[in-house]
Amino acid sequence: MRRNRLITYTTNGHVASLDFTHQVTDIDDAYELVMELGDITAEIGATDMIRIVVVNAGGKTMSFSTAGMGALAEALGQMTGDCPDPAKLLAGLPQPVLVGLEGDILGMGLELALACDVRVAVDGARFGMTHLSEGQMPSWGGTQRLSRLVGGGNALELTLGATIIDAPEALRIGLVNKVVPRDRLSSTLDEMAHNMAAKGPIAMRYAKEAISAGLDLSLGQGLRLEADLYFLLHTSRDRTEGIQAFQNKGKPKFEGR
Amino acid sequence: MAGFKTVLYEKNNGIAWITLDRPKQLNAYSVGMRDDLYEVLKAVKDDDEVKVGILRGAGEKAFCAGADLSEFLSAPPPVAARQVRWQRDIWGLFAALPQPMIAAVHGFVLGSGIEMSLFCDMRIASAEAQFGLPEVALGIIPAAGGTQTLPRLIGRGKAVELLLTNEWISATEALRIGLVNQVVARKVLYEKARSMAEKIASFDAAAVRAVKQAVVRGLDMTLPQGLDLEKQLALGLKGAKPNGA
């Protein structure tokens, strides 16, 4: 396991936290980030105990200096042959991923945020798909995930104009789910994470999968996917536990099986 | 059409009123309701006199508070259950209704309640309505299409949040995020639904059906395919022969 240098990875019960503690300023940092994230996400993906992932920018802004960034994807591809973009690593996690956003979430930082499932922003945060102002274009999924989230109109305006918007506007267009005061960010994420971690973990993963994979299917195909996952859950103990607990007006204790 | 235990059906002036009728159980969606609703929807689909449908719930407390959990633990094993699911594909039937459907929802709109309203084309909510998706808290996932229809309507961001956190939202919030089209006072809920239905019923029925098809089927296509579909449907209305005919 690579030493955590750019990302601090901790677990607390069923919740894993990833803090992006360092500003990425050059190509070596970027490479290190991708490698660390690869190791961490592989481990999280393989760990059933972990039910929810919380990503934080560790109090620093989630923007990446664009010095050398333009050549990054190409360079990484050449160095390792098959280096996935880090947004893909986050998007590929089976567990739901919550992300706390403060400061400036620009360019590649926004692309990472888009790869998460729920975005909670601090009220002073700003957002922008600003690659064009550095002569770049998004390469960590920004041209695909932004429009699927906020619609083509908003995505084109933000990306083509390299416009920077504030948190209330981000909330209005659906770019973020919630906006909270700075001193409530941690507790909001904590509460959300622990609340979700108390629900059926397999059901949680299947719900995420049905939504994510389903959006790329026709409605009819998506309904089939949902039905297949639903019937698979019939074979889980957690389903019986959840329903019995409800019938007995008690709190369910899900075991992830 | 009469004789259903759990669903009421009335048709007048081209409007089909479909009422979920298990008010003592908060209109919880049961196997019986599934079977009754399937018959009703089938009949509506084949009835050219029906121009618009309105779906609502009996009683004061709920449009539908979700699936009837008392039936869950004695359900058939998964292989058999899956077979039954596709033998009478009620959600496919709902999605394929040629007539526009309006959901007029009040009180608790939970789980399959929300999902049924999502298969309708428009949703009007009364001001006190509350919406929630409790499935993952029970160790299951929505099975009436919610993981598919909700993100397609309100976007993935909000859909994931509602589905994974079981956060209940008010009618006002539902309006804000696009889950419902209108919020009205409880006492005018059905009046508003009726006047919306009457407006639609007053338009040329073939044109209305063509619009619904163009929008709903088009969303499953690429834009060029969707534009083509629209053109074919529009030509069909003018009585022109579609390309290749």
Side-chain angles (χ1 to χ4, degrees), chain B residues 20-77:
Chain B
L20 307 176
D21 191 31
R22 298 181 79 213
K24 289 210 180 72
Q25 291 82 18
L26 303 183
N27 297 320
Y29 183 73
S30 60
V31 170
M33 188 184 279
R34 178 197 68 198
D35 292 342
D36 286 348
L37 197 54
Y38 186 82
E39 296 305 321
V40 168
L41 292 177
K42 219 166 43 149
V44 165
K45 178 169 193 263
D46 294 336
D47 186 353
D48 281 347
E49 284 176 7
V50 174
K51 307 260 194 298
V52 190
I54 299 178
L55 181 67
R56 60 179 176 178
E60 281 315 303
K61 296 216 177 104
F63 166 71
C64 169
D68 191 339
L69 293 177
S70 70
E71 295 178 336
F72 265 44
L73 294 179
S74 52

Side-chain angles (χ1 to χ4, degrees), chain A residues 62-209:
Chain A
M62 229 167 142
S63 65
F64 294 77
S65 148
T66 50
M69 286 307 173
L72 175 61
E74 202 186 316
L76 288 175
Q78 284 166 4
M79 276 190 256
T80 63
D82 180 30
C83 176
D85 79 59
K88 213 169 183 178
L89 293 171
L90 286 173
L93 284 171
Q95 300 94 337
V97 181
L98 318 181
V99 63
L101 302 165
E102 52 187 320
D104 286 348
I105 319 298
L106 309 175
M108 284 153 145
L110 181 55
E111 289 183 278
L112 288 184
L114 288 173
C116 304
D117 298 302
V118 179
R119 282 155 290 283
V120 179
V122 161
D123 51 35
R126 303 191 312 157
F127 304 83
M129 196 62 85
T130 50
H131 306 69
L132 279 177
S133 57
E134 319 279 344
Q136 315 293 352
M137 71 170 270
S139 64
W140 283 359
T143 63
Q144 300 306 304
R145 294 198 180 95
L146 184 61
S147 51
R148 282 165 172 76
L149 186 64
V150 304
N154 291 319
L156 285 167
E157 184 186 345
L158 281 171
T159 314
L160 295 178
T163 318
I164 299 180
I165 60 173
D166 62 14
E169 179 70 356
L171 180 69
R172 190 187 71 78
I173 67 174
L175 180 57
V176 303
N177 295 71
K178 285 194 204 308
V179 175
V180 299
R182 172 70 191 71
D183 57 11
R184 300 261 326 138
L185 180 64
S186 232
S187 55
T188 303
L189 287 170
D190 247 1
E191 205 177 294
M192 237 182 162
H194 284 98
N195 161 29
M196 287 165 74
K199 300 192 181 355
I202 313 174
M204 185 76 65
R205 289 181 180 216
Y206 283 4
K208 172 171 168 166
E209 185 181 334

Side-chain angles (χ1 to χ4, degrees), chain B residues 79-154:
Chain B
V79 173
R82 182 175 183 263
Q83 188 169 16
V84 170
R85 164 75 178 86
W86 297 110
Q87 257 162 12
R88 312 183 88 212
D89 178 13
I90 185 173
W91 308 118
L93 173 58
F94 216 137
L97 284 176
Q99 303 96 332
M101 289 287 298
I102 300 170
V105 305
H106 73 288
F108 294 115
V109 190
L110 308 174
S112 22
I114 290 191
E115 293 177 274
M116 275 190 272
S117 77
L118 288 170
F119 275 112
C120 297
D121 300 293
M122 280 160 279
R123 283 145 294 282
I124 306 182
S126 68
E128 86 297 341
Q130 290 187 78
F131 301 80
L133 288 153
E135 286 85 348
V136 287
L138 298 166
I140 57 179
I141 64 172
T147 65
Q148 303 305 306
T149 51
L150 187 64
R152 282 167 172 76
L153 181 68
I154 68 174

